[in-house]
């Protein structure tokens, strides 16, 4: 999955480190507590709903994935013993019941893996998760993954085989499969699939230990403010250093740095913390006391366009909007070049990047000509009109994110210069991602970031089958409503034509078509700064959609 971070958030480039660990609070005077500041509060703690980096960051401490990508961008097992393999006969080609090419992939869960209440993690949980995922009434984010699973064979308490109705090149990965505790969630689910997301214990009783299975478990939830995690006594891995980790949501990023300097928080999360311009300013003022490290990543800051809007259905208008943006100036003046211009959805650091894909240069004269051609004529008040209608569009992003709000103002001014009237209507992240974007309620433009895994095929964001609607329970992340049969074929073929020559050809065409159709406006690849103390070690920023907290048990404070 590509995460706006659904909805989303998030681009690619840097990691800046700082943190000054404050004195323990009175309530935890005899405990090692780390207090982390983040800029969003998750709309839910359920792993299968509302894709947000804030939730993924917290879940990284309290849950483990069956498979994931390591900080070195390698696919690895976390909850399984080894990846399925054709060579080892744990993966095999087969024919589906309806005569189509399929696959069978077999996983074995780690023998000592248990939920935090001590109940073993077994294939009963796997079977239940598949049942929830395949039920169309649940409306989970990654329904496309479960649609590929025809059935599951339970081999024993720890081993299972998934029968897939499609042969794919990435058959060994199961990172998007978020295992659920059947002993807690099944009775709730059986009360009604359509209401399950509102009744789940992840939201109604999130401190139940049995919901979690990471080095930490959720111990206290203060809605909209903070989540306290405590060491999981039934964790089967290496003992984590900190007794408690408190995650505080401070949605105004200026207040986030103020809390850091005052000692009210010890660390600002890189994945969902402050933007790079604030980090650069912070480094300039306090850099002598902190270490700064920059590492590339896969955060893609962009603007989704609602293609149901008649104005935005005209490709000339979309191209004009992009041509009117001076993205080089945004990168250089706002971010000192640390966040490079994005010319498409594939990062130059990704092996699938095609440098020959079309690029759109800043040219306000051309933007004006395109709008003229599309019938939008300049009015006396400096705003273009067509058939008596002004060229007015609304843009939305995460309220309180100073960088995004600054970029919005730059965009508003640059578009106004070519006769486009832009209205800013920002919302808190939990509202923007939980409702407005995920249910396609934005009428014009929505600015946020996608965060992906390496070589991630953008099915959920670009395939027409992934357009969320009320009829499909808002499944999918194609929030623009983009539908192009050629793009659908490319995505389908990328998953099944595994020869390197085919992969290179298909990835190249995907990037060219993306640049031609412009379902979104690419802005820049983001650099997320981690702010940590010099003596905090073991934090391994990943640069992709799977957060550093998936290895939180390695974090240490050195004296």
């Amino acid at each position: 999955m590509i995460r706006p971070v659904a909805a989303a958030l998030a681009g690619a480039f840097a990691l800046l480190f700082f943190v000054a660990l404050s004195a323990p609070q009175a309530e935890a005077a005899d405990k090692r507590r780390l207090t982390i500041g983040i800029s969003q509060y998750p709309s839910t703690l359920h792993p299968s709903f509302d894709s947000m980096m804030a939730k993924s960051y917290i879940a990284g401490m309290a849950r483990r994935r069956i498979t994931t990508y390591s900080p070195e961008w390698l696919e690895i097992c976390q909850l399984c013993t080894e990846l399925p393999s054709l060579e080892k006969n744990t993966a095999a080609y087969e024919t589906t019941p309806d005569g189509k090419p399929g696959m069978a992939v077999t996983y074995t869960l780690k023998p000592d893996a248990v939920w935090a209440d001590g109940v073993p993690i077994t294939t009963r949980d796997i079977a239940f998760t598949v049942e929830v995922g395949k039920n169309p009434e649940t409306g989970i984010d990654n329904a496309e993954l479960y649609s590929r699973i025809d059935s599951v064979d339970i081999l024993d308490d720890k081993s299972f085989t998934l029968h897939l109705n499609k042969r794919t090149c990435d058959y060994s990965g199961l990172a998007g499969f978020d295992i659920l505790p059947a002993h807690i969630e099944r009775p709730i689910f059986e009360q009604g699939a359509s209401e399950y997301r509102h009744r789940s214990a992840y939201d109604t009783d999130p401190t139940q230990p049995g919901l979690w299975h990471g080095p930490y478990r959720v111990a206290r939830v203060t809605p909209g403010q903070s989540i306290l995690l405590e060491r999981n006594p039934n964790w089967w891995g290496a003992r984590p250093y900190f007794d408690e980790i408190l995650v505080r949501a401070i949605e105004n990023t200026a207040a986030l740095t103020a809390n850091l300097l005052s000692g009210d928080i010890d660390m600002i999360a890189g994945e969902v913390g402050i933007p790079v311009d604030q980090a650069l300013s912070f480094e300039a003022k306090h850099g002598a006391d902190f270490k700064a490290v920059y590492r590339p990543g896969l955060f893609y800051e962009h603007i989704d366009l609602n293609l149901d809007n008649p104005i935005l259905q005209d490709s000339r208008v979309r191209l004009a909007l992009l041509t009117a943006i001076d993205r080089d100036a945004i990168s250089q003046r706002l971010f000192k070049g640390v966040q490079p211009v994005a010319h498409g959805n594939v990062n130059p650091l990704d092996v699938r990047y095609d440098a020959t894909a079309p690029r759109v240069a800043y040219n306000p004269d051309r933007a004006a000509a395109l709008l003229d051609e599309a019938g939008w004529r300049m009015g006396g008040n400096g705003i273009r009109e067509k058939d008596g209608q002004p060229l007015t569009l609304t843009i939305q992003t995460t309220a309180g994110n100073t960088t995004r709000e600054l970029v919005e103002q730059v965009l508003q001014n640059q578009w106004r210069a070519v006769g486009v009237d832009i209205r800013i209507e920002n919302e808190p992240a939990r509202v923007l991602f939980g409702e407005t974007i995920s249910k396609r309620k934005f009428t014009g433009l929505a600015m946020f970031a996608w965060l992906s895994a390496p070589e991630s095929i953008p099915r959920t964001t670009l395939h027409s089958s992934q357009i969320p609607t009320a009829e499909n329970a808002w499944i999918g992340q194609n929030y623009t409503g983009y539908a192009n049969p050629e793009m659908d074929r490319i995505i389908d073929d990328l998953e099944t034509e595994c020869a390197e020559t085919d992969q290179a050809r298909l990835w190249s065409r995907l990037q060219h078509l993306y640049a031609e159709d412009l379902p979104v406006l690419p802005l820049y690849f983001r650099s997320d700064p981690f702010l940590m103390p010099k003596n905090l070690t073991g934090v391994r920023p990943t640069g992709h959609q799977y957060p550093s907290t998936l290895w939180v048990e390695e974090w240490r404070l050195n004296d």
Side-chain angles (χ1 to χ4, degrees), residues 142-286:
N142 204 10
E144 195 276 333
L145 167 69
Y146 295 97
S147 71
R148 297 186 183 190
I149 301 173
D150 272 349
S151 62
V152 55
D153 287 344
I154 303 304
L155 307 181
D156 55 41
D157 279 351
K158 291 290 184 176
S159 298
F160 63 98
T161 298
L162 297 178
H163 295 278
L164 309 178
N165 54 33
K166 180 181 288 188
R167 295 179 185 175
T168 62
C169 306
D170 60 348
Y171 66 86
S172 62
L174 207 56
F177 188 102
D178 291 303
I179 189 169
L180 302 173
H183 66 294
I184 293 176
E185 292 289 280
R186 177 173 284 283
I188 302 171
F189 178 72
E190 289 179 346
Q191 294 178 34
S194 62
E195 292 299 314
Y196 167 62
R197 68 180 299 163
H198 305 295
R199 294 173 175 165
S200 167
Y202 282 100
D203 287 323
T204 62
D205 191 13
T207 59
Q208 279 201 58
L211 297 172
W212 312 106
H213 61 288
Y216 293 88
R217 66 187 188 189
V218 173
R220 187 181 71 222
V221 173
T222 305
Q225 298 181 37
S226 66
I227 294 173
L228 178 68
L229 299 111
E230 64 183 12
R231 187 185 286 122
N232 175 7
N234 289 309
W235 165 243
W236 61 88
R239 179 180 173 84
Y241 175 88
F242 295 100
D243 299 293
E244 296 179 339
I245 295 180
L246 178 66
V247 180
R248 290 186 55 201
I250 304 170
E251 294 189 345
N252 184 290
T253 53
L256 195 56
T257 54
N259 274 264
L260 178 62
L261 289 172
S262 69
D264 289 332
I265 60 175
D266 307 312
M267 170 180 173
I268 296 179
E271 292 90 340
V272 60
I274 67 171
V276 73
D277 63 316
Q278 287 181 261
L280 290 168
S281 176
F282 186 92
E283 181 184 7
K285 296 176 182 178
H286 310 286

Side-chain angles (χ1 to χ4, degrees), residues 318-487:
R318 301 197 297 271
L319 181 57
L321 289 173
L322 185 59
T323 306
I325 303 174
D326 191 347
R327 291 175 291 167
D328 286 316
I330 291 173
S331 176
Q332 294 299 324
R333 295 175 189 173
L334 298 186
F335 311 128
K336 298 183 181 180
V338 171
Q339 302 198 128
V341 171
H343 294 285
N345 61 325
V346 179
N347 192 288
L349 298 167
D350 197 301
V351 297
R352 295 304 176 189
Y353 175 71
D354 181 5
T356 70
R359 295 187 173 196
V360 176
Y362 171 58
N363 189 333
D365 290 337
R366 186 185 180 213
L370 285 165
L371 292 172
D372 284 338
E373 182 183 330
W376 293 98
R377 302 297 180 181
M378 188 68 78
N381 61 352
I383 301 301
R384 292 178 179 270
E385 298 178 352
K386 181 179 181 180
D387 299 328
Q389 175 189 2
L391 183 46
T392 299
L393 294 166
T394 298
I395 186 170
Q396 296 179 268
T397 193
T398 45
N401 185 309
T402 56
T403 294
R404 283 186 171 146
E405 291 176 339
L406 180 59
V407 171
E408 270 184 325
Q409 293 171 22
V410 173
L411 295 174
Q412 187 180 44
N413 290 333
Q414 292 182 347
W415 282 329
R416 178 62 184 252
V418 296
V420 181
D421 178 34
I422 295 294
R423 309 291 175 85
I424 295 175
E425 296 182 3
N426 296 337
E427 296 177 333
R430 62 185 179 276
V431 177
L432 184 71
F433 296 117
E435 281 287 323
T436 303
I437 291 178
S438 63
K439 294 184 178 179
R440 303 189 67 228
K441 292 181 179 179
F442 66 102
T443 60
L445 298 76
M447 181 169 64
F448 60 101
W450 285 123
L451 177 56
S452 66
E455 299 184 67
S456 180
I457 299 171
R459 170 175 286 275
T460 62
T461 58
L462 293 178
H463 200 283
S464 64
S465 66
Q466 299 300 299
I467 300 173
T469 65
E471 290 71 28
N472 68 11
W474 307 108
I475 289 171
Q477 295 173 312
N478 185 345
Y479 304 130
T480 66
Y482 175 61
N484 184 320
E486 183 183 3
M487 182 64 79

Side-chain angles (χ1 to χ4, degrees), residues 56-73:
S56 295
Y57 187 82
I58 293 167
M61 295 181 262
R63 294 178 55 84
R64 283 294 171 263
R65 295 179 176 274
I66 294 178
T67 72
T68 191
Y69 278 90
S70 73
E72 294 75 33
W73 295 16

